[in-house]
Amino acid sequence: AKAQGKNTFQFYYAELDKGTSRKMELDNALRKAIELNQLFLCYQPKIHLETGEVLGVEALLRWDHPSLGLIYPDEFISLAEETGLIVPIGQWVIQRALEQSKDWEEKGLGKINVAVNISVRQMQDDSFVNTVEQIVEDVGMEPSRLELEITESIMQDPERSVAILHKLKALNIMLAIDDFGTGYSSLSKLRYLPIDHIKIDKSFVDDIPDFTERGSIVKAIIEMGKSLNFTIIAEGIEKEEQIAFLVENSCIIGQGYHLSVPLTAEQIELFLKKQM
Ligand code: C2E
Ligand code: CA
Ligand code: CA
Ligand code: CA
């Protein structure tokens, strides 16, 4: 039994080591990915649930790895957060999304608002607000065309976060709370924040239209959100009957595979042209 314990122990360290070097490999590759232009953005439309109109798009990061193929953010964002690499990556995302929106406008496709996901780690960087301001100015875009999607986890450091949000709002940048309902904050805690949109997390939308507990949670979020003057967006809509339920409960903006999967910039162009 003793020998076996030792083996397990050694095995554990071998595995741990493998894990560490795999992480380092991934980190190195990710650093190069920026230089080598392997990162790109897909865009998922935000749709008016009654008219079908495109109200904007959310930029979603992708990594086109030369040998591993397409890599999704869930596989590399947390590492980038850990190493701090999310800071330069995040700056690139904001810039690319704004340039893309400008490009669509120049092609006569209208003024498309772009939402970008922001990690808490990015907001911890002291120069975050200045950097965002600088990028918006450099690209030459009305700040209100940019929306930042942040999660409730920013409320772990409420004083600092509230100050940053007010600075961003003073620049006229749009702000959304992402994945709402999964964190620890309540809508009443958010009521004094300069937030424009609340995105109901997919896990709640999944249970519509069952009139189970969660169905009524969605109802309650919409009602309370409205009374606090937030616009509510439902994410992860996969079924027609979810749309009916949401519209009936006056949530009229949504995203999800049923409306459109995330599309490449070229595919978005076609999507917008079809609507014109
Ligand atoms: P998120 O911000 O909650 O984005 C929604 C995710 O759900 C996206 O996954 C999207 O493709 C997916 N999705 C949309 N509609 C549906 C649906 O109807 N059904 C299902 N099953 N999924 C749907 P994706 O693109 O893999 O992104 C995952 C997460 O990675 C995002 O979650 C966001 O938290 C993070 N992320 C993506 N891009 C960035 C970025 O540029 N910066 C940072 N910091 N995080 C990012
Ligand atoms: Ca998001
Ligand atoms: Ca979300
Ligand atoms: Ca999410």
Side-chain angles (χ1 to χ4, degrees), residues 58 117 149 151 177-180 199-202 235 255:
E58 174 181 1
N117 291 287
E149 294 192 0
T151 61
I177 297 290
D178 203 356
D179 302 341
F180 183 78
K199 298 185 78 175
I200 308 177
D201 191 66
K202 178 178 186 301
E235 63 174 24
Q255 282 179 289

Side-chain angles (χ1 to χ4, degrees), residues 46 55-57 98 101 105 111-116 132-133 136-137 140-148 168-176 196-197:
K46 296 187 179 178
L55 300 172
V57 296
L98 286 176
S101 177
E105 186 177 1
K111 293 175 186 267
I112 307 298
N113 296 332
V114 284
V116 163
V132 174
E133 183 178 19
V136 172
E137 206 181 298
M141 196 71 136
E142 300 136 65
S144 59
R145 295 268 292 277
L146 174 67
E147 175 153 323
L148 304 181
L168 291 167
K169 199 63 231 176
L171 296 174
N172 235 348
I173 287 166
M174 302 293 280
L175 300 172
D196 302 285
H197 299 139

Side-chain angles (χ1 to χ4, degrees), residues 222 226 232 245-252:
I222 298 171
K226 295 240 153 189
I232 312 293
F245 176 96
L246 289 163
V247 169
E248 200 177 302
N249 288 286
S250 53
C251 169
I252 49 147

